[in-house]
Amino acid sequence: MKEKRNRKKMDTGISLLLSIILVFCILGVVVFSVARKISVEMSDSAIQNLSESLDLIKSTIEAIQKKDAEFQKLMAQEIAVSENPERYIQIYQKNKSMVKLSLIWSGESKGLSSTGEVFSEDGLDFSAGRTVDGLEISQSYLNYMGTWAYTMKCPVIRDGEEIAAFYVEYIYDTLDRFLPEGFYNGEAMLYIMDAQTERLVLKPKGMGERNAGHLNLEDFYRANNIWEEKIRQEVEKCIENGDNIMFYHDIRGKNALNYMWMVNDGSIYLIGYVPLEAIQQEGRSVNQNIFIVVAVMLIAFLLCCLLYYLNQREQNAIRKEREAEREIYNQQLAEALHAAQLASNSKTMFLSNMSHDIRTPMNAVLGFTTLLARDAENPDKVREYTKKIMASGQHLLNLINDILDVSKIESGKVVLSVEEFTLNDLVASVDAIIRPMAKAKEQEFHVEVTGIKHERLIGDVTRINQVLFNLLSNAVKYTPEKGNIWFRIIGLKQRSGQYEHIRIEVEDDGYGMTQEFLKTIFEAFTRAENSMTNKIQGTGLGMAITKNIIELMGGTIDVASEVDKGSLFWVELELGIPEGQADKQFWEKSGISRILVVDGEAQVCHDIQTLMKGMGVEVETAFSVKEAQDLIQEGKGNYQLLLLDWDVPDMDGIQTTERMREAMPGVPVVFLVSYGTSRAEEALQVENAGFLSKPFFVSALKAVIVEMQNGMEKITQESEEEGNLEGLHFLAAEDNEINAEILEEILDMEGADCEIMENGKLALERFMASEEGEFDAILMDVQMPVMNGYDATRAIRALKREDAGKIPIIAMTANAFSEDERDALAAGMNVHLAKPIDVELLKQVIRQYTKGRG
């Protein structure tokens, strides 16, 4: 009985055990099925996510190309109404996406391009018939820069008839900026392939590890061991029909999902692969959790069910959270795309519009260089042209610095460089640039300076030059041919004896501006828009920068304008007056105590008397030749100098001089001539005479008197003696051969010599090998290979020899910002000179630090 009971108990236990095993087997099957289902769902979800990501990238690329096509259509419309389409193409400056514009007239096989060469459609293949927003798109190709590119062709329609074909070349590299950073945490691979040539034209950054040989589709097959003919046939069929395709294949020993995703109706394809590990990463995490649940279920079935329930709820929450994150990511991607497009358009517009401002002084440099070659035998013209070339080149350098300093101006980090200057030099430098511009448009450029009490002032002359050029160049550009430009400097009532209060006026009789535009004229990137001014290129930054600079100097600017009647800008500034303005010793040494001024304008006579006040020279004025003769005959006094208006109304300048010389034999005569007067050179034919351009300045008169007294050869000789560097020996560190050659020639002209070293290390070694006192100074470049100028200077200063700490070290570098100067001084250099080097300034610095040597 007991044995039967035990057997029954055993049978019950076995049944229970079998039941439990069966239950657990059923549960295991259920769990396994659930795990399998979840894994499949997660994989399907990941594949769907991949499709959505590819669709988003596809939409981004198509949106960019569509925007490019719409902009090209607008440009074609502008070309259709342009009076000079060729000029429109030639002045275009390439940007990051549109690198070349070309135009072929209907009926012709060749045309022109923005790069300057003859353009032909022969090198382009439009046979595939692909289009973007109705514009034909070519087969991809390598352009002249070695970058993959494609061209879109747009008809130019005028009055319903196609007059030309407009071509724009785009590069694929610009698409990289708008694509997402990374793809499946960098594990996936993405290329952009041209469908017609099957060439891989772009591999975006952050899109997987680059493999050697990925140049075209065949190389992609070979690099990833895709040899199955069936797969290749399906891919070829997909490309031929413009369809999308995904297929599984092992890539580098890992199972991966390969894809080819059509963009723009199949003109290009997104090609690449995603490892299944990356796709199924979420599924594996779920399965691991389920296996943990199964292990725990062996201990407690109820606890396993509970944990399974909690795990499922957690997974659902994670899935929802990730979906929410994906939505936020997609939204951020769209916003970033929009912001990138706006930033790209702004930069493109700025760089394109900046071109004309740079070309203006460059045109003056090239023009006067041509005249210099023609008149090389005429010393007077050579000096005049050289002076104007220097002024234009200096302005071009300042303009480049201004472009680099735009961000500093906007953020208020610009620091004024205050120094002493003369109004004569300021007016002359402005006139040298503006007058040729006005002359090219047959405009009259009038310069007037009245009421000024001090011509030597203290201020930031570079910034003042920039303000004047912005205002005057705008006046020239926005005034039609044969118009008038007025540039006035007017002395106002002084508010303090230490400051000259001046008013600068720039007036024109040009197109004018509307009252609505005047409200925003000083804002960045704003330009007047009408049928006339639309042809004029501009950055839209000039007036905003001008206003910021003037306000930084403590001044004010305002404007008044009326359409078709012109504009008037006026600026008020207070500039410091340096001490010791009067220079009585010069006039005493020159033997000049009385001057007679003959000019028909009372204001001119008054200005001369004002500026000469305090010089110890008495100035008598006469408004006509007869009045001047009466003064002389009445014996009012002896005059040592005669200032005579060249355009005196009674008679011409030479006749007037002969008449005045009868009463004052041997008295030097200085003719006052207006800027741009063509007959001014006739004054040099008169014995003991010179000419001075209006408006009158004391410094300019002194220069003319010295020139008349000593002759230019003597002046040059004295100048050379003053700046003589005879016998000095320099050590120079310069890695640029051209700069080294220029430096050697300059020093050789001054009677000095130098040894050129290619880098700082060689310069250091040469100095260490030299005897003490062998070199008078070291001219040190900063950016050099092997050892830069800063390190070389520190090493020289650290040497244990007496002259190491005393020898002058002069920095000559293209690093021109204030922080660069600070770094040079901190490294132990004596002075910092920015390239391009001002020769006179270099000589002055060398003389200062080598005084008593040579």
Side-chain angles (χ1 to χ4, degrees), residues 519-539:
K519 299 176 182 178
T520 60
I521 186 173
F522 295 114
E523 296 179 5
F525 296 106
T526 57
R527 296 177 61 239
E529 302 287 342
N530 59 53
S531 60
M532 298 301 295
T533 61
N534 283 343
K535 302 176 183 178
I536 302 172
Q537 296 294 320
T539 63

Side-chain angles (χ1 to χ4, degrees), residues 737-755:
E737 294 183 2
I738 296 178
N739 291 341
E741 182 179 354
I742 293 173
L743 181 60
E744 282 186 304
E745 290 296 330
I746 292 174
L747 294 177
D748 184 65
M749 290 169 55
E750 300 299 323
D753 65 279
C754 70
E755 295 184 29

Side-chain angles (χ1 to χ4, degrees), residues 134-190:
L135 300 187
E136 294 182 63
I137 183 171
S138 74
Q139 172 185 310
S140 302
Y141 57 90
L142 282 171
N143 64 8
Y144 70 97
M145 297 185 298
T147 302
W148 281 104
Y150 61 93
T151 296
M152 286 198 289
K153 177 180 178 182
C154 177
V156 180
I157 307 299
R158 181 186 292 170
D159 298 331
E161 182 180 354
E162 181 176 346
I163 62 172
F166 176 48
Y167 303 82
V168 176
E169 181 179 284
Y170 303 87
I171 58 176
Y172 282 100
D173 289 348
T174 57
L175 299 177
D176 194 14
R177 295 176 294 143
F178 306 104
L179 298 181
E181 289 286 341
F183 203 29
Y184 280 90
N185 295 324
E187 296 183 34
M189 177 67 72
L190 171 64

Side-chain angles (χ1 to χ4, degrees), residues 328-346:
I328 296 174
Y329 173 76
N330 292 339
Q331 182 179 357
Q332 291 176 344
L333 183 62
E335 292 175 354
L337 174 62
H338 180 66
Q341 289 173 335
L342 292 178
S344 177
N345 292 338
S346 298

Side-chain angles (χ1 to χ4, degrees), residues 183-363:
F183 203 29
Y184 280 90
N185 295 324
E187 296 183 34
M189 177 67 72
L190 171 64
Y191 287 92
I192 296 180
M193 183 187 77
D194 179 74
Q196 190 171 357
T197 62
E198 298 186 351
R199 295 297 297 258
L200 304 182
V201 297
L202 178 65
K203 190 267 181 182
K205 64 178 183 296
M207 296 299 187
E209 183 179 334
R210 181 183 293 274
N211 288 341
H214 283 205
L215 302 177
N216 53 37
L217 184 58
E218 186 62 28
D219 291 336
F220 182 80
Y221 287 155
R222 183 169 53 254
N224 297 297
N225 296 321
I226 302 177
W227 306 109
E228 292 84 351
E229 190 63 26
K230 181 178 179 182
I231 293 179
R232 294 193 176 199
Q233 290 177 356
E234 291 179 357
V235 170
E236 291 297 328
K237 184 178 179 180
C238 163
I239 297 175
E240 181 179 352
N241 297 332
D243 297 328
N244 301 328
I245 185 173
M246 287 187 179
F247 60 91
Y248 290 98
H249 193 277
D250 290 345
I251 302 296
R252 289 188 289 172
K254 295 181 180 180
N255 196 12
L257 179 61
N258 296 258
Y259 61 86
M260 295 189 65
W261 217 253
M262 171 270 296
V263 178
N264 193 24
D265 296 329
S267 62
I268 58 177
Y269 270 81
L270 303 176
I271 176 174
Y273 60 84
V274 182
L276 290 182
E277 292 179 355
I279 296 178
Q280 296 178 346
Q281 183 176 0
E282 295 178 355
R284 288 198 304 274
S285 299
V286 173
N287 287 336
Q288 291 173 358
N289 291 334
I290 293 177
F291 288 142
I292 293 175
V293 171
V294 172
V296 173
M297 187 175 55
L298 294 174
I299 301 172
F301 177 76
L302 294 178
L303 181 61
C304 178
C305 292
L306 178 62
L307 292 177
Y308 179 78
Y309 168 76
L310 296 176
N311 180 266
Q312 286 296 104
R313 187 173 67 176
E314 181 182 356
Q315 291 301 319
N316 290 334
I318 293 174
R319 188 181 295 109
K320 291 180 181 179
E321 182 179 349
R322 290 183 177 176
E323 289 177 354
E325 290 177 352
R326 190 180 300 116
E327 289 293 330
I328 296 174
Y329 173 76
N330 292 339
Q331 182 179 357
Q332 291 176 344
L333 183 62
E335 292 175 354
L337 174 62
H338 180 66
Q341 289 173 335
L342 292 178
S344 177
N345 292 338
S346 298
K347 291 179 180 178
T348 300
M349 179 180 66
F350 171 73
L351 293 175
S352 176
N353 293 340
M354 205 69 231
S355 172
H356 85 284
D357 285 338
I358 296 178
R359 290 176 184 271
T360 299
M362 181 59 70
N363 180 61

Side-chain angles (χ1 to χ4, degrees), residues 604-659:
V604 173
C605 296
H606 176 73
D607 290 338
I608 294 176
Q609 288 179 319
T610 301
L611 290 173
M612 292 297 297
K613 185 179 180 181
M615 299 293 175
V617 179
E618 183 180 352
V619 178
E620 295 282 346
T621 61
F623 302 137
S624 66
V625 175
K626 185 178 183 306
E627 185 178 347
Q629 290 175 332
D630 292 340
L631 286 174
I632 297 171
Q633 292 175 358
E634 291 173 3
K636 292 262 181 171
N638 295 325
Y639 300 106
Q640 293 82 36
L641 182 65
L642 173 63
L643 298 183
L644 179 62
D645 184 14
W646 178 256
D647 297 321
V648 65
D650 302 23
M651 56 190 72
D652 65 31
I654 296 178
Q655 293 177 348
T656 304
T657 305
E658 294 175 353
R659 184 77 60 85

Side-chain angles (χ1 to χ4, degrees), residues 434-468:
I434 300 300
R435 188 169 296 279
M437 294 171 56
K439 188 176 181 180
K441 296 182 67 174
E442 300 182 23
Q443 297 169 341
E444 292 291 334
F445 182 47
H446 309 276
V447 180
E448 302 173 9
V449 178
T450 58
I452 297 297
K453 300 179 180 61
H454 306 87
E455 66 173 273
R456 299 190 68 84
L457 301 171
I458 297 176
D460 191 334
V461 66
T462 300
R463 296 298 182 186
I464 296 174
N465 251 318
Q466 181 181 358
V467 168
L468 294 180

